[in-house]
Amino acid sequence: MNALFCALDKNEFNRISSCETAFDIWRTLEITHEGTSRVKDSKVNLLLHDFELFRMTPSETIDDM
């Protein structure tokens, strides 16, 4: 836990200072930086939607696209 405490800046330290185990610290940082599974699913759905809408218009060249 000490290694994790020393490796973090002040804002991150304040976020995890109340954690009691290294696993709790890791999970808190993981959720903070990656998001929950619902957030991840939402991001994937948005990217998939953008990909599906990606089309080249008839007047557009490949370089313009």
Side-chain angles (χ1 to χ4, degrees):
M1 285 180 52
N2 189 37
L4 291 171
F5 286 143
C6 292
L8 300 173
D9 66 5
K10 187 176 184 178
N11 293 330
E12 296 285 338
F13 177 79
N14 290 336
R15 188 174 290 131
I16 56 100
S17 62
S18 63
C19 295
E20 296 181 6
T21 66
F23 182 75
D24 291 339
I25 294 170
W26 188 260
R27 291 292 296 159
T28 302
L29 292 173
E30 183 179 39
I31 290 171
T32 301
H33 292 282
E34 292 184 12
T36 61
S37 60
R38 288 182 62 190
V39 171
K40 290 178 189 177
D41 290 342
S42 177
K43 287 180 183 178
V44 167
N45 287 335
L46 285 173
L47 290 172
L48 185 60
H49 183 260
D50 289 345
F51 176 74
E52 289 172 347
L53 294 178
F54 185 69
R55 301 271 190 260
M56 189 167 99
T57 60
S59 62
E60 194 173 36
T61 65
I62 292 175
D63 289 336
D64 293 337
M65 188 177 167

